[in-house]
Amino acid sequence: MRMYDIIEKKRDGGELSESEIKWFVSGVSDGSLPDYQITALLMAIYLKGMSDAETAALTGAMAHSGNTLDLSRFKDLSADKHSTGGVGDKTTLVVAPIAACLGAKIAKMSGRGLGHTGGTVDKLEAIPGYRTSLSPDEFINTAEKHGICVIGADKSLDPADKKLYALRDVTATVGCIPLIVSSIMSKKLAGGAHNIVLDVKCGSGSFMKTAADARLLAEKMVTIGKTCGKNVSAVITNMDVPLGSAVGNWVEVREALQVLRGSREFPDLRKVCLTLAAELVSMSRGIDEDSAEKAVEDALDSGKAYEKFLEWISAQGGDISVFDDSSFCRAEYSMEVKSRRDGYISSCNTEGIGLCAMTLGAGRAAKDDVIDPTAGILIKKKRGDFVKQGETEAGLLTSRRETLEEACRRYCESRTVTDAPPEPEPLIYEKIKGR
Ligand code: URA
């Protein structure tokens, strides 16, 4: 086969065969294909799309491009979650301990943030001592003993996605449904869990800007998971505003802790976490949705999920004493964003808020940038809230003083204040089940 012919076929709108797709993925993984030909095909896919059969073939080939995890010792209890990426999304920190204390086995590999979106691994690394890199045996044994283990993505799993994702990131080809489906589902299939909940974000802070696109993405991922014999549920959730009030790394860990300790201060975060956890528990325990919802609420409100969180973090070397130390990880500098007028916070460009956090040092503009764990945003007024002139809308935190001015400008450009309140939006759009 010749890469030239494959690119030409897709450029002209043709359908690639399974053998052409397998050949392409193996050339990506073994390094025999040059980046310029890989990216030419990615752009052709972006522009011409892929059929369901092509997307399934690409997903399967990527899932088998490296090692796969064998979680068969957990039988039907193995569970995983994936978010399509958002701002202020600290749900794994809450969902994993809730599901684990109800019997699910979470052996999960999580990602780092890039661009405007945050990543669970960066948040966990804000906890001193927490180890995000474990040997395969230690990973599985920790999950078996404690019900949860969360580490960074293993290089040997789905190497094709690592290469393709890095190239998509710099060639404006990330926001393409067949490429997102194959990227996410190949990682989930290689990760080995039997029950998977997908948090498909919808709105200005996510890749899917409309509910119709989010539904299409969710349906395609659920179908592929089902075809591969997995229990998969997708929950489409709002990302037109950041989730909760904190955006950053340490500030997000602290907010997740508050939810785990029973706080009702962040109702959107609590609700999304309970919904995702109920899906995982319902699938992995084989119980109906109502019983699962009741069980997850009890686990959170009784403090059992909080105890499980402490057990998990300690098991991976994290120092849990910092959770009660208000001076830990304090930013050296801060600035308050004040409202210039009375009115309602209306439209919100959540991607802009994510970029504001990145500017402060909470995220990476480039792969090798170093994170400032103290950096972040504490949002005081969210979409729909009334604000008075001079009132604080948000606090910006950083240990890099020089970032404050640009971050403040970005924050102000990311929302508008209007006389009339905005139309309310759903927090949870819908659930799509593949069982
Ligand atoms: N998250 C992923 O893992 N892959 C994508 O392509 C987009 C979001």
Side-chain angles (χ1 to χ4, degrees):
M1 276 187 216
R2 284 199 321 153
M3 189 58 190
Y4 182 95
D5 300 329
I6 292 176
I7 297 168
E8 187 180 49
K9 188 170 179 185
K10 184 44 75 184
R11 182 200 68 190
D12 296 341
E15 183 170 17
L16 302 179
S17 67
E18 189 176 357
S19 57
E20 285 168 328
I21 289 172
K22 276 188 175 161
W23 183 86
F24 163 67
V25 170
S26 98
V28 171
S29 323
D30 67 19
S32 59
L33 287 176
D35 289 358
Y36 53 83
Q37 285 190 312
I38 299 173
T39 50
L41 183 63
L42 290 172
M43 186 54 85
I45 292 171
Y46 185 94
L47 296 171
K48 298 291 179 178
M50 276 187 141
S51 67
D52 287 349
E54 286 175 299
T55 309
L58 182 59
T59 308
M62 288 168 68
H64 292 99
S65 65
N67 294 339
T68 51
L69 272 185
D70 178 9
L71 301 184
S72 56
R73 75 167 88 168
F74 300 142
K75 303 207 168 61
D76 289 347
L77 290 173
S78 58
D80 197 354
K81 86 166 258 294
H82 188 89
S83 157
T84 56
V87 178
D89 181 4
K90 65 284 285 175
T91 52
T92 293
L93 303 182
V94 181
V95 173
I98 296 177
C101 73
L102 291 166
K105 295 286 185 189
I106 316 257
K108 177 168 171 46
M109 293 192 185
S110 285
R112 292 183 186 281
L114 191 65
H116 76 280
T117 64
T120 302
V121 169
D122 294 327
K123 300 182 214 303
L124 288 169
E125 284 182 351
I127 303 170
Y130 187 94
R131 293 161 61 218
T132 53
S133 176
L134 302 180
S135 71
D137 280 352
E138 205 180 349
F139 175 53
I140 307 271
N141 291 339
T142 306
E144 179 153 46
K145 184 160 176 211
H146 301 284
I148 319 185
C149 189
V150 181
I151 59 171
D154 184 312
K155 286 194 178 59
S156 69
L157 250 71
D158 203 347
D161 181 60
K162 286 181 190 65
K163 174 90 188 177
L164 290 175
Y165 197 88
L167 290 174
R168 286 166 59 209
D169 197 42
V170 290
T171 55
T173 50
V174 170
C176 162
I177 288 181
L179 295 178
I180 298 178
V181 170
S182 53
S183 166
I184 293 177
M185 290 312 290
S186 61
K187 285 193 284 270
K188 295 297 106 182
L189 296 178
H194 184 60
N195 306 288
I196 302 164
V197 67
L198 303 165
D199 181 2
V200 178
K201 302 286 188 195
C202 169
S204 60
S206 62
F207 293 118
M208 296 298 111
K209 306 292 181 204
T210 67
D213 276 351
R215 182 181 307 120
L216 190 63
L217 175 65
E219 282 172 352
K220 288 192 183 297
M221 293 197 290
V222 165
T223 303
I224 286 197
K226 201 172 152 190
T227 310
C228 296
K230 306 283 185 184
N231 284 335
V232 186
S233 262
V235 184
I236 302 177
T237 64
N238 189 304
M239 193 30 75
D240 243 353
V241 285
L243 191 60
S245 295
V247 182
N249 292 295
W250 176 247
V251 288
E252 288 197 39
V253 172
R254 222 174 42 197
E255 189 168 281
L257 260 173
Q258 283 175 266
V259 172
L260 284 161
R261 283 171 167 166
S263 166
R264 307 288 170 122
E265 208 186 315
F266 316 100
D268 56 342
L269 174 60
R270 181 181 153 95
K271 173 79 186 157
V272 171
C273 291
L274 286 172
T275 305
L276 296 170
E279 280 302 312
L280 269 189
V281 169
S282 164
M283 286 190 284
S284 51
R285 299 290 309 279
I287 56 175
D288 65 73
E289 214 172 303
D290 287 349
S291 312
E293 278 171 17
K294 188 172 174 329
V296 297
E297 224 168 314
D298 284 351
L300 189 57
D301 294 339
S302 64
K304 286 190 186 130
Y306 174 59
E307 289 303 318
K308 180 56 80 177
F309 176 79
L310 297 180
E311 179 189 335
W312 156 35
I313 299 299
S314 306
Q316 287 191 241
D319 175 3
I320 59 171
S321 72
V322 297
F323 296 154
D324 290 312
D325 178 357
S326 58
S327 66
F328 176 72
C329 213
R330 254 219 197 133
E332 276 177 71
Y333 306 100
S334 63
M335 182 185 271
E336 295 196 340
V337 181
K338 306 265 190 197
S339 182
R340 296 210 187 111
R341 53 164 293 190
D342 289 5
Y344 292 91
I345 308 285
S346 52
S347 69
C348 169
N349 171 4
T350 299
E351 182 170 346
I353 296 196
L355 290 172
C356 167
M358 189 189 88
T359 304
L360 290 163
R364 298 177 190 80
K367 210 163 91 283
D368 298 325
D369 285 355
V370 176
I371 295 264
D372 167 7
T374 70
I377 308 171
L378 294 175
I379 300 169
K380 307 276 183 219
K381 298 283 178 184
K382 289 183 71 165
R383 186 177 185 279
D385 288 343
F386 188 78
V387 64
K388 285 189 130 350
Q389 185 182 4
E391 212 178 342
T392 301
E393 283 183 39
L396 308 181
L397 306 168
T398 185
S399 294
R400 301 173 189 161
R401 187 190 217 154
E402 68 285 1
T403 63
L404 280 170
E405 216 165 287
E406 189 193 333
C408 184
R409 182 186 55 74
R410 277 190 191 274
Y411 193 92
C412 292
E413 284 171 5
S414 298
R415 53 92 190 101
T416 51
V417 179
T418 54
D419 292 336
E423 286 292 318
E425 284 181 347
L427 174 64
I428 312 264
Y429 285 89
E430 64 181 300
K431 294 180 198 164
I432 294 168
K433 296 184 191 270
R435 280 167 276 156

